[in-house]
Amino acid sequence: MLVEVADATLTYHSRIKLPLYAQAGIVETWIVDVQSQRTECFHAPSASGYQKSRTYAHGNSISPLLLPPVSVTLDPVFS
């Protein structure tokens, strides 16, 4: 699992780095978008990129695919 925090570099993280992570077989990648106060979670990597994604915002909690009992609440992340 990999977590990226993007402030002014969201485009770079999404267009350049994210496909490289998928090609490398990283099972799950989260991009924390500081400006939009949301987190995008990507999984199911392939040579062409991640096949699945989901976006979370304030009031949501996220659990990593490989550690479902662990939960991250987003409200404190963006406070």
Side-chain angles (χ1 to χ4, degrees), residues 12-30:
Y12 178 70
H13 288 282
S14 299
R15 294 189 183 162
I16 305 298
K17 294 173 88 176
L18 190 63
L20 295 174
Y21 298 149
Q23 290 170 5
I26 296 174
V27 175
E28 183 173 11
T29 299
W30 296 1

Side-chain angles (χ1 to χ4, degrees), residues 5-47:
V5 178
D7 190 3
T9 58
L10 181 62
T11 301
Y12 178 70
H13 288 282
S14 299
R15 294 189 183 162
I16 305 298
K17 294 173 88 176
L18 190 63
L20 295 174
Y21 298 149
Q23 290 170 5
I26 296 174
V27 175
E28 183 173 11
T29 299
W30 296 1
I31 297 180
V32 179
D33 180 354
V34 175
Q35 291 186 7
S36 296
Q37 296 190 349
R38 62 187 182 143
T39 299
E40 295 181 77
C41 300
F42 300 88
H43 56 95
S46 73

Side-chain angles (χ1 to χ4, degrees), residues 46-68:
S46 73
S48 62
Y50 284 97
Q51 303 303 306
K52 297 182 180 181
S53 67
R54 189 162 178 195
T55 303
Y56 298 87
H58 277 289
N60 293 138
S61 295
I62 308 171
S63 295
L65 291 175
L66 299 177
L67 292 169

